[in-house]
Amino acid sequence: MDNQRHDPDTDIYDPGYVANLFDRCSPRYRWWSAISSFGFVAIWRHQCVQRLVAPKSTDPVAVDLMAGTGEVWPHLLRRFPNLRRITALDISHRMHAEAVARLHGRYAHKINHIESDALQSDLPEAYADLVVSTFGLKTFNPEQQRVLARQIERILKPGGCFSLIEASDPKKWMLRPIYRFYLDSVLPLIERFLLSGANDFGMLGTYTRNFGDCARMVEALEAAGLSVTMKSHFFGCATSVAGSKPPVARPTRQPTCA
Ligand SMILES: C[S@@+](CC[C@H](N)C(=O)[O-])C[C@H]1O[C@@H](n2cnc3c(N)ncnc32)[C@H](O)[C@@H]1O
């Protein structure tokens, strides 16, 4: 069944298109994603952060790629209270604005917002001890995933860790037809009735179907030189990929001439 919900001539992976889509979703993003996933998104964010290994630095820096409204920050700060800074990168102006509007005073000073395309980020090399991303992969096609993997390798410090999670298509799950029916038909219908005929969140079903799971991101990260392991969450309804950048190799001592 073709559940295409967009003009076939539209490039749904164009960063401008994606930014506009999330600009429109932004006012309702938090509650809609929590309710429509029956709270699973919060569990998955927690599990994603749990996969990060504690950095050796005493005041580490984390980068939250495709940060949206910053839902992962409380999880990050609970796990790593000594984080010096979270650099939150997102392409959507309104997702940033929503995040700023609801920032809790207690840790607002730790968040540094950057509105930019993660594929072209000019964050310095070896900038971050940790890189995290929750539900920000599905809007990248395979070539873009390769670019993103190289960006992650570039901005991580040697020995730094990353963890990324994304909603996935549980191809082997017995209940997949019900899950797909829910994503592809029920959610868009609810959206149309409750959200003035909008069809923005409805696109997430299309992205998830095309994305499949994190397997291609695993290949891309390995090709970029990172060590990687993939994990399945709740029968494959989400998959995560976590790993690290190899520490700097110690220079081997060359024999000296007498
Ligand atoms: C589904 S939301 C996830 C937000 C948040 N991380 C969370 O856990 O709820 C995906 C986010 O990725 C952002 N995004 C998509 N493509 C991007 C790109 N090329 N560069 C930066 N951000 C991007 C969108 O603007 C959106 O805020």
Side-chain angles (χ1 to χ4, degrees):
M1 182 171 62
D2 183 7
N3 288 294
Q4 192 159 278
R5 299 183 186 284
H6 54 89
D7 177 346
D9 294 331
T10 304
D11 176 7
I12 63 168
Y13 295 98
D14 175 68
Y17 174 86
V18 174
N20 283 331
L21 176 73
F22 281 100
D23 273 351
R24 291 194 300 273
C25 288
S26 59
R28 297 175 292 262
Y29 176 78
R30 281 184 60 234
W31 64 262
W32 181 255
S33 60
I35 291 171
S36 62
S37 72
F38 302 103
F40 269 95
V41 281
I43 298 170
W44 289 334
R45 284 188 194 105
H46 171 77
Q47 293 175 339
C48 177
V49 169
Q50 288 307 112
R51 297 201 67 194
L52 289 166
V53 176
K56 290 203 177 84
S57 162
T58 49
D59 59 346
V61 170
V63 171
D64 179 13
L65 290 176
M66 288 68 78
T69 50
E71 307 308 310
V72 83
W73 305 338
H75 299 275
L76 264 178
L77 288 162
R78 253 194 307 274
R79 171 101 206 275
F80 306 112
N82 62 338
L83 272 185
R84 173 159 48 102
R85 188 182 320 128
I86 298 176
T87 293
L89 193 142
D90 201 284
I91 199 169
S92 155
H93 177 74
R94 294 213 181 136
M95 290 293 264
H96 275 297
E98 285 289 325
V100 171
R102 60 177 286 273
L103 264 188
H104 300 289
R106 214 155 37 91
Y107 60 74
H109 64 284
K110 292 198 174 194
I111 316 295
N112 170 24
H113 291 266
I114 300 185
E115 186 177 325
S116 103
D117 181 351
L119 303 177
Q120 300 186 26
S121 142
D122 56 5
L123 282 176
E125 252 182 83
Y127 171 81
D129 298 276
L130 302 170
V131 170
V132 71
S133 181
T134 52
F135 312 113
L137 299 178
K138 66 181 135 339
T139 49
F140 294 119
N141 63 28
E143 177 47 31
Q144 291 169 324
Q145 289 179 41
R146 285 191 279 276
V147 176
L148 183 70
R150 290 196 289 272
Q151 281 282 5
I152 293 173
E153 191 279 334
R154 192 182 66 76
I155 61 180
L156 265 181
K157 289 180 184 166
C161 291
F162 65 91
S163 180
L164 326 168
I165 196 163
E166 186 51 274
S168 302
D169 193 351
K171 293 237 165 72
K172 294 184 187 142
W173 191 28
M174 233 170 54
L175 301 182
R176 177 178 182 259
I178 299 173
Y179 174 80
R180 287 279 15 145
F181 178 69
Y182 175 68
L183 271 191
D184 295 333
S185 306
V186 178
L187 282 183
L189 203 68
I190 298 176
E191 188 187 8
R192 229 166 293 148
F193 277 113
L194 292 187
L195 304 179
S196 337
N199 187 25
D200 298 327
F201 289 97
M203 280 303 295
L204 301 184
T206 305
Y207 281 119
T208 309
R209 178 187 288 273
N210 293 353
F211 177 74
D213 60 25
C214 281
R216 271 188 293 223
M217 199 63 202
V218 168
E219 285 172 18
L221 290 159
E222 279 174 347
L226 301 172
S227 73
V228 183
T229 55
M230 180 166 146
K231 197 170 164 183
S232 169
H233 303 256
F234 197 73
F235 302 101
C237 292
T239 50
S240 65
V241 48
S244 61
K245 178 168 172 172
V248 190
R250 286 236 186 101
T252 49
R253 216 183 257 180
Q254 299 296 321
T256 46
C257 298

